Every structure is written in structure tokens, then in C-alpha cells.
Amino acid sequence: MVNLKLKPEITEPSIHFINVESGETYSEIWEFLTNKDLCKTLSADNYEQNVIEGLLKRTNWKPVFKDILPVYPEMKWNSEKKQLEDPYFIPIIRKTTIKDFLTASESFFAKYAGKKIGVQLSGGLDSSIIIAMLKHCHVPFSLVGMTSNRYEFRTEKYIQNLLAEWGNESVLINYEKHLPLFDIDKVPAFQYPDMLCLNYSADNAMALECKKLGIEVLFTGNGGDNVFAEEISVNDEQCKWLPQIFTDTWLNDIVYAPQGVQLVPFFGDNDIMQTIYNLRMGQLEDNSKLWARQFFSDFLPKELVNYGYCADFWGLYINGLQKSMPTVRKLFYRVYEITNIPCFSDTDLDEILNQDLQNAHKSMYQKIEARISLAVWLNGLIKAEIIR
């Protein structure tokens, strides 16, 4: 049986589940996870392939166990194809100006009137635009973010310190204490494996700070890279903005919601998307986001308007992996001891880790991340006595 004492900490309200063979849906699947046959039906290969496919192609995902897939917000079940489908954003073509964007921003903020607002302060352009809009609309807000003294983050830190003065309260957390893969042995139980569990430490630290500050809604800049950098076709049917580029469901449900914080993507709002699409319609790819820097030049610090830069998280990631090696090995040992699944054996772990980890090949790291995040999921179930 599921340990009921852990149930409030591991509820996932944003998703439900479906059996892709029968079409039967479930609001939760804890009881399926207690089944002794789980480990026999688990497919690490399917999960690894899902990771390679990526979020944008999650409609191609294969079940990791028992023909069950997660149904994320806005997904629909196609009973004929026996496949989940993601809805694409459908733009409405119309003449749009900066005034329309400001009106859309005001309407968006009004939805959260009466709640204490926070913004993830990354030091990047996307979150800075949200902060600038809040300031322009005279909406009180606080700021919470991860910061680093590393050379490759010197520009982000400068912007963070500059914008920290704009918030009523600002808290910057030392990233070095919450690197990727840190605290993976502390991740609570959750119902379906997810790669975002590898970033648990940093987001949990921000969620706890939000709770201390009384922040109820935390705006994120997720999706800014897509709406500001991608080519925008004049053909509205070619728009490929999907819900998952804006929303981190796992982080919201497992990390922020338990602390009483709602994680909200500003750029995922329909009216915000409509205005940006129309304002950028016909533009080519713009990886430096030069259009956005100029368009919002009256609201942003000059440093964000006149200079382009790009964060490099590779150093943080590789350091996090290297420093977490002892924890990774302990997790694999524990999971293998309980489940006896071959891919968690010492031999298989050595095979994926005894490579040149300084070589940033995407295919190599996708396999490593998939295997470790699968171990984190199983370890959480073991800790909660769901798997014994």
C-alpha cells in the first residue's frame, strides 16, 4: 500500500494518465506503482528514446511501464490513432502595436490581483521583460533567482544586481550550492519519470525562498526563446508553439505547489502570445533577440538593449555531475538492490560514466540524464515504500 503520510507531498494535480491500449484514464497511478510486476514491465529503453525524442515530440513517446502515459495539460487523446496529441497555438492575424502588448500585460497581471507576485530573476532578457512590464504597470513584485560568480555568468550577474533594485524584495541564491544533480537523493516520490528531477535542488531552493517571502505566484520567462528567437511565418498554420515550451509541469507540481507557490509562464498567456506573434510576423530567426531588445528599449536597462549575450550552463552541469558521482552510485546501488533491473547494475553504470564527460556530445548526455533521472524516480518510490 502507498504510505499515506507521504501522499500530500507527492500529489500531482496538473496531469492525469491514460492506458494507450484500452484508452482508460486515471487521475493517479500510485496503486499501479505498488504492483510487483512494475519492475518486470519497466522499459528503460523506451524512456531513453522518449528523452531523445524530446518534449516537442512527446506525442511520439512510448510507455515506460504497463502501457501507461502521462497526459499533460491541454493534451488530447486521439482514439483512432491511439495517440496523445498536443494542441498548437493558433494565432489570430491583426494589426498590433506596443500599446496592445502593454494592454495584454496589464490584463495578465490583473488575473493575479490580490496575490503576492514574484519573478524568477535569471539575468536574461526574457525574465527582464516581465520585470520591466510589472514596473511599468506599477504592480508590486519580489524577485528570486540563482546567481553565480563564474566568469561565463558575469553579464547575467550584473543584470541581476541591477534589476534587484526594482523589486520590493530580492533574493539571489548561490548556484554553486544547488548545481544540477545535487540533492537527487532527496527528491520526493512522483508518479512518472521526468528529466526535470535532475534540477530539483535549485528550484527547491527558490521555492523555499518564495515561501519565506510569502510569494504566491512566481512568473517565469519560459518560452521566451521561442517567441522572440524563432522565425515567425506569415502563414499562421506554420506556428509551432506548443504548451510544453512554456510550462514545467513537474517543477510546478512536485517542487513549487507543495510550498504554496504557483509557477506561471508569462509568455504562455494566450493574449501575450497573440501580440508577440503579430508584432514579429514575417521575421527570420533572431537568436540574439535583437528585435525584442529594441522593441522594449523604453522599458529595459540600456545594458540589455545595447548588448546581446547568451548564458552557458555547460560548466555548471558538468561540475554538478562530477560532484554528484558518489550520490549517483549510491542511488543506482539501492535501486538495483531492490529492483534487480540490469541497467542499474555497477557494470552498466560504469559503461555510461566511464566516458570523456568533458566532451559535450548531446547523444552521450541524453543517455546519462535518462538513466540517472529514471533512477531518481525509482529511488523516490522506494523511499516512500511504494516499491519494496
Side-chain angles (χ1 to χ4, degrees):
M1 295 294 290
V2 178
N3 188 332
L4 295 178
K5 291 181 180 179
L6 294 171
K7 199 72 176 292
E9 300 177 16
I10 52 184
T11 300
E12 297 173 275
S14 295
I15 65 173
H16 59 280
F17 304 88
I18 191 166
N19 184 304
V20 295
E21 290 301 319
S22 67
E24 186 176 1
T25 59
Y26 317 97
S27 59
E28 59 177 46
I29 54 170
W30 294 114
E31 296 302 328
F32 287 99
L33 299 175
T34 64
N35 192 302
K36 293 181 180 179
D37 293 332
L38 168 64
C39 298
K40 296 178 183 178
T41 64
L42 181 69
S43 175
D45 290 339
N46 276 4
Y47 181 61
E48 183 179 321
Q49 187 57 42
N50 292 348
V51 170
I52 292 171
E53 287 279 2
L55 276 175
L56 294 182
K57 296 182 179 179
R58 66 187 182 187
T59 55
N60 296 333
W61 285 3
K62 304 299 182 185
V64 177
F65 66 93
K66 287 186 172 297
D67 297 323
I68 292 175
L69 281 175
V71 183
Y72 295 97
E74 299 185 57
M75 289 186 97
K76 303 295 182 184
W77 173 245
N78 187 321
S79 57
E80 292 184 3
K81 296 181 179 179
K82 288 192 172 183
Q83 186 179 34
L84 288 165
E85 296 178 345
D86 273 309
Y88 286 107
F89 166 70
I90 302 175
I92 300 172
I93 308 303
R94 61 193 179 204
K95 185 177 180 180
T96 306
T97 67
I98 182 64
K99 184 177 179 180
D100 296 301
F101 187 88
L102 295 176
T103 299
S105 298
E106 290 173 352
S107 297
F108 174 79
F109 298 143
K111 297 176 184 178
Y112 304 96
K115 294 182 179 290
K116 186 167 183 179
I117 301 299
V119 185
Q120 281 186 345
L121 176 57
S122 68
L125 177 65
D126 305 328
S127 62
S128 298
I129 290 172
I130 303 171
I131 293 166
M133 290 299 99
L134 284 164
K135 183 173 183 285
H136 173 77
C137 295
H138 304 290
V139 177
F141 61 93
S142 299
L143 300 169
V144 177
M146 307 302 298
T147 193
S148 173
N149 289 323
R150 295 183 184 225
Y151 179 78
E152 60 265 38
F153 285 97
R154 63 197 182 281
T155 311
E156 284 84 355
K157 184 171 184 179
Y158 178 86
I159 297 298
Q160 284 178 321
N161 290 332
L162 193 66
L163 294 180
E165 300 297 322
W166 292 17
N168 290 351
E169 304 161 298
S170 299
V171 176
L172 291 172
I173 305 164
N174 186 357
Y175 218 148
E176 301 302 322
K177 296 181 179 180
H178 302 281
L179 294 175
L181 279 80
F182 274 26
D183 299 328
I184 53 175
D185 55 335
K186 298 176 183 176
V187 178
F190 52 102
Q191 296 182 83
Y192 212 87
D194 197 298
M195 288 276 288
L196 286 172
C197 68
L198 301 181
N199 296 319
Y200 171 78
S201 185
D203 278 281
N204 188 54
M206 286 191 284
L208 290 172
E209 285 297 335
C210 286
K211 184 177 181 179
K212 289 179 185 177
L213 295 173
I215 292 172
E216 299 168 273
V217 177
L218 185 67
F219 295 148
T220 78
N222 288 5
D225 288 340
N226 301 84
V227 300
F228 290 131
E230 290 180 356
E231 179 180 355
I232 304 297
S233 173
V234 294
N235 183 352
D236 58 355
E237 294 182 357
Q238 294 181 9
C239 182
K240 300 299 181 184
W241 294 348
L242 293 163
Q244 58 266 40
I245 68 175
F246 303 101
T247 305
D248 290 332
T249 304
W250 189 90
L251 290 175
N252 184 64
D253 290 346
I254 305 301
V255 182
Y256 289 92
Q259 305 305 330
V261 182
Q262 182 184 1
L263 203 61
V264 177
F266 174 80
F267 297 111
D269 177 76
N270 186 72
D271 289 341
I272 298 293
M273 285 192 285
Q274 293 286 359
T275 55
I276 295 175
Y277 182 91
N278 281 283
L279 287 164
R280 289 199 61 229
M281 189 170 58
Q283 292 187 11
L284 299 176
E285 187 177 70
D286 182 10
N287 288 326
S288 295
K289 303 177 184 176
L290 298 179
W291 175 87
R293 295 178 193 280
Q294 293 305 312
F295 185 79
F296 296 105
S297 60
D298 290 340
F299 308 93
L300 294 169
K302 64 180 182 353
E303 290 86 349
L304 279 167
V305 175
N306 297 329
Y307 303 95
Y309 58 94
C310 183
D312 183 359
F313 289 89
W314 170 244
L316 289 173
Y317 181 84
I318 187 61
N319 282 167
L321 175 59
Q322 290 172 329
K323 291 180 178 180
S324 298
M325 285 293 194
T327 304
V328 170
R329 290 195 175 278
K330 287 179 181 178
L331 248 64
F332 272 62
Y333 178 81
R334 185 180 192 187
V335 169
Y336 183 67
E337 183 181 40
I338 300 297
T339 68
N340 204 34
I341 298 174
C343 69
F344 298 109
S345 68
D346 287 342
T347 302
D348 278 43
L349 178 59
D350 288 340
E351 183 180 336
I352 65 171
L353 292 183
N354 291 343
Q355 304 179 73
D356 180 10
L357 298 178
Q358 300 286 351
N359 194 340
H361 283 307
K362 183 178 181 180
S363 59
M364 180 183 76
Y365 270 90
Q366 283 178 321
K367 185 171 184 177
I368 292 173
E369 291 172 334
R371 191 70 56 82
I372 295 176
S373 58
L374 193 60
V376 172
W377 172 61
L378 289 168
N379 182 65
L381 297 178
I382 291 169
K383 284 195 307 177
E385 300 179 359
I386 294 169
I387 294 179
R388 302 185 185 185

